[in-house]
Amino acid sequence: MSEVIALGQPTVGEAELAAIAEVFASGWLAGSGPTSRRFEERFAAAVGTRHALATSNCGSALHLALLTLGVKPGDEVIVGDYTFPATGHSVMWTGATPVFADVRPDIWTVDPAAVEAAVTARTVGIIAVDAFGQPADYDELRAIADKHGLFLVEDAACSAGATYKGRPAGSLADVATFSFHGRKGITAGEGGAYVTDRDDLAAHARKLHTYGVEGALTRAELSHLPIPTFTELGYNYRLSDVAAAIMIAQLDRLPDLLATKRAVAARYGELLKDHELITAPYEAPDREHPWQSYVVTLDARVDRGAVALELRQRGVQCTFGTYASHVQPLYGQTDPCPVSADLFARHLAIPMHANLTEAQVETVAATLTDVVDTLATRR
């Protein structure tokens, strides 16, 4: 095996190194410093919101979203089922209960009809998940939220650069949260962001993410010596200025990264479109997919585990899609989400990142089709 084609790979280089060097020279490496502030301003502008807050990861941003929206023990929050469990975990961190709603079979985001059916007297809000970056049905979800007096959160962990009906991901709900994990479209290795148009929520989130007090940069700008008073339990959810510098460089790269991955997705679609046992992912016509991942659906007759093992042996990295949350024992949910459960069993993520060459894309597609055909013949 001469080459391993990576499942995901960040695009980083001299621009990020120069940004880090600038932060080192400034002497302010900790979180919530001047570089974090610059990144927050840039990111808010990019996603079309008034406020952005850099966080340690998307999970912390989700936790802040629910805290600032007033979620408390005894509440229920409806969550799109097909998602990494950080979404459900964030609800449990507040003492509330996640109630998982099934997803659409085509774009894998939460089904508005399932959300409507899940509303109870204890429901306080909805978290929609942009599956692998493609936005959910926010107009329909907003109508449901307004009808029942609920908040709406966009889990945009994978969605940087995506759009819904011409509006950028991040601007589609009361609060949105992003991830800058190493496999995301733009990355500092780890990190996240909380974004909103509401001044009150942004101010509260900024306080909670720094132990419940104003940050050091804000205090340093005052004309007197401030002695913080702790009146509310807060957390250390800050992103370091070193990581924020990387994110500024990554934002500069974002248009090119998106264009490259769209080309990769289009080429995969061409190469896989006629295969009987492999279904390529669908992009809704009123959305722009950022292609954080490229996830195919294998026919139910195909042994996904055997396909994955053979692909890896041939140098093509792969993994399952994401989780059907309702089947995870932690949550104790008994109501079925059959669409999500089916996707959980049949999805396979193949290499998707902006560093893939055309030859690698063709190799991945050819290897995948050959493996599936070979294993199907053996059955």
Side-chain angles (χ1 to χ4, degrees), residues 84-369:
F84 186 76
T87 317
H89 282 25
S90 68
V91 178
M92 294 183 70
W93 291 336
T94 69
T97 300
V99 176
F100 296 103
D102 210 354
V103 298
R104 288 177 49 170
D106 53 355
I107 62 171
W108 317 326
T109 59
V110 70
D111 184 342
V115 171
E116 180 75 59
V119 175
T120 72
R122 294 171 57 191
T123 305
V124 296
I126 304 162
I127 305 178
V129 181
D130 298 342
F132 308 113
Q134 181 160 212
D137 297 308
Y138 285 97
D139 286 352
E140 293 86 345
L141 293 170
R142 171 56 69 190
I144 294 168
D146 290 348
K147 174 183 174 182
H148 296 283
L150 311 176
F151 65 73
L152 177 61
V153 169
E154 177 185 7
D155 183 343
C158 304
S159 307
T163 66
Y164 170 78
K165 299 183 178 180
R167 289 140 46 200
S171 67
L172 306 173
D174 299 306
V175 177
T177 63
F178 289 84
S179 172
F180 307 133
H181 177 267
R183 273 194 64 202
K184 299 303 186 285
I186 50 176
T187 180
E190 288 287 357
Y194 168 117
V195 303
T196 184
D197 275 334
R198 286 180 51 179
D199 297 347
D200 59 332
L201 296 181
H204 194 191
R206 189 168 294 279
K207 179 181 179 183
L208 289 178
H209 111 309
T210 307
Y211 290 112
V213 297
E214 290 184 331
L217 181 61
T218 302
R219 299 198 305 271
E221 294 170 340
L222 300 175
S223 59
H224 61 282
L225 178 63
I227 308 297
T229 300
F230 293 83
T231 60
E232 185 175 13
L233 180 66
Y235 306 84
N236 182 6
Y237 282 168
R238 296 167 295 185
L239 184 72
S240 76
D241 266 32
V242 177
I246 296 172
M247 289 310 306
I248 292 173
Q250 288 279 288
L251 271 179
D252 291 337
R253 292 186 187 270
L254 182 57
D256 289 340
L257 296 175
L258 289 169
T260 300
K261 289 193 292 182
R262 288 190 68 82
V264 170
R267 185 62 177 141
Y268 272 145
E270 293 170 358
L271 295 168
L272 299 174
K273 65 181 179 181
D274 296 324
H275 201 284
E276 180 185 359
L277 301 176
I278 303 169
T279 303
Y282 170 71
E283 180 181 30
D286 59 354
R287 276 150 248 222
E288 289 184 275
H289 201 313
W291 299 108
Q292 181 268 331
S293 296
Y294 194 89
V295 179
V296 300
T297 308
L298 300 180
D299 188 277
R301 294 167 290 176
V302 176
D303 184 337
R304 181 183 61 177
V307 170
L309 289 175
E310 184 64 23
L311 284 175
R312 290 171 179 172
Q313 289 175 4
R314 298 194 193 186
V316 176
Q317 291 188 350
C318 59
T319 190
F320 62 98
T322 192
Y323 291 85
S325 295
H326 76 285
V327 304
Q328 301 306 312
L330 169 69
Y331 299 121
Q333 178 158 325
T334 56
D335 292 338
C337 296
V339 175
S340 179
D342 182 58
L343 298 174
F344 182 41
R346 296 200 288 134
H347 269 175
L348 185 73
I350 60 176
M352 169 54 83
H353 52 85
N355 304 331
L356 288 168
T357 66
E358 185 173 352
Q360 287 176 321
V361 172
E362 292 175 353
T363 296
V364 170
T367 306
L368 174 62
T369 55

